[in-house]
Amino acid sequence: MAELILNSDKLTVDCEHGETILDASLKKGINHVHACGGQAKCSTCRVYIDEGIENVSPRNKKEQELADALQLGSKIRLACQTTVCGPVKARRLVLDEIDKNIILSSGQSSTPRSLGEVVDASVLFVDIADYTAFSERTPAYDVVHVLNRYFYIAGNIIKKHNGRIVDYYGDGFLAIFGLDHQPNHTKNVISAGFELQKAISKFDEEVHDLVNSSFKIRLGAHTGKVIWGTIGIEGMQKEAAIGDTVNFASRIEQANKTLNTDFLISEALFKKFESCCIVNGEYEIEVKGKKGNHKVYSLEYVSPAILA
């Protein structure tokens, strides 16, 4: 007999030898969702192992196939296939009909949903300086043409440095480096930022007459833990990066406008390369939702080769 504590239900369940978590919780009277009848054809019975992962059975073939297809993390297990041999604390992840519908719809997608993981990554926010004035004085066709040309150039630079643009927001974008667990994401984000500045300086010359003004960008970067997963309903979902690291990078980019700078990075990122970065200025900013002042650094262009 093994003890299973279901944190989501605040109940202790006794699991007999060879009895699955699903069978044990159903026997306890818990309304444990299992849309496919416990045949490992869906993941609605999934549980998250909070403690005692060493006391659960290894994934069998059926569970492993579904876990691979849905990209389930190692602590997310199918209750219908998993047995326990010692103390385990777990929680059900599908608690009601809405949860059930979300899980079932994700299984119908041609592309698997990322259920959420924490990754070490570097974040880069980029926007266009004085975008409102540019969009108001430029014909609509030219606005779209210039933006498409700009995003094409920027996107290829981000891709070159192993980053991924995960969101566009009119005049700017959010890029993440390290989603594929590359160890050099801090170097990549700064190198991409410098190359973007150089490329957009040339781009400015090309479109200056068309937009009747300078075309400049502002950049903000930070590094840390990022929550990465798929959000939204079926057919309208997107992969998203969320968390304090992303929010802080956004605030850093916004500080450029107040400080009259072009490329600001956090202290955490600066410490990785302080010996080879040329600093134009060191500032302290207040960040909504974070206590105290936070140091940021304005960078001057250096060749990416120096960062190697």
Side-chain angles (χ1 to χ4, degrees), residues 85-120:
C85 62
V88 171
K89 289 185 179 180
R91 49 193 160 91
R92 292 189 297 132
L93 296 178
V94 180
L95 300 178
D96 56 23
E97 197 67 20
I98 292 177
D99 283 344
K100 177 181 175 182
N101 289 337
I102 290 172
I103 297 304
L104 290 176
S105 65
S106 70
Q108 297 166 4
S109 175
S110 59
T111 56
R113 297 169 63 103
S114 171
L115 299 178
E117 61 175 325
V118 178
V119 296
D120 286 307

Side-chain angles (χ1 to χ4, degrees), residues 206-223:
E206 297 169 350
V207 302
H208 190 91
D209 290 340
L210 180 63
V211 302
N212 195 30
S213 70
S214 298
F215 190 97
K216 305 293 184 184
I217 59 172
R218 294 185 287 241
L219 307 92
H222 181 39
T223 190

Side-chain angles (χ1 to χ4, degrees), residues 210-280:
L210 180 63
V211 302
N212 195 30
S213 70
S214 298
F215 190 97
K216 305 293 184 184
I217 59 172
R218 294 185 287 241
L219 307 92
H222 181 39
T223 190
K225 300 290 186 183
V226 171
I227 301 170
W228 175 247
T230 306
I231 61 175
I233 67 171
E234 182 63 25
M236 300 176 67
Q237 69 264 36
K238 58 179 281 188
E239 290 182 300
I242 55 180
D244 181 68
T245 298
V246 178
N247 295 338
F248 192 22
S250 175
R251 301 298 184 184
I252 292 172
E253 185 280 313
Q254 292 169 15
N256 280 299
K257 189 173 183 179
T258 303
L259 299 173
N260 195 29
T261 52
D262 298 314
F263 189 4
L264 288 172
I265 67 171
S266 66
E267 185 175 21
L269 192 52
F270 174 72
K271 285 182 176 179
K272 302 282 186 180
F273 300 102
E274 56 186 307
S275 62
C276 52
C277 281
I278 301 174
V279 176
N280 285 331

Side-chain angles (χ1 to χ4, degrees), residues 18 31 35 65 117 120 130-131 137 139 146 187 189 210 249 255 268 273:
N31 184 24
E65 287 176 352
E117 61 175 325
D120 286 307
D130 301 319
Y131 171 75
R137 66 172 170 256
V146 170
K187 179 180 79 70
V189 71
L210 180 63
F273 300 102

Side-chain angles (χ1 to χ4, degrees), residues 126 146 149-158 160-161 173 190-208 214-217 219 263 301-302 304:
V126 184
V146 170
R149 186 178 175 93
Y150 159 62
F151 285 130
Y152 176 83
I153 293 169
N156 278 287
I157 290 172
I158 297 299
K160 172 184 173 182
H161 293 281
F173 62 85
I190 293 182
S191 296
F194 284 146
E195 189 167 341
L196 272 169
Q197 285 185 305
K198 188 175 182 180
I200 298 308
S201 179
K202 182 176 182 297
F203 179 77
D204 175 39
E205 297 174 6
E206 297 169 350
V207 302
H208 190 91
S214 298
F215 190 97
K216 305 293 184 184
I217 59 172
L219 307 92
F263 189 4
Y301 177 84
V302 298

Side-chain angles (χ1 to χ4, degrees), residues 5 13 32 35 50 77 104 146 165 178 190 285 308:
I5 298 177
V13 178
H32 200 138
D50 287 308
R77 300 298 304 270
L104 290 176
V146 170
I165 294 178
I190 293 182
I285 63 172

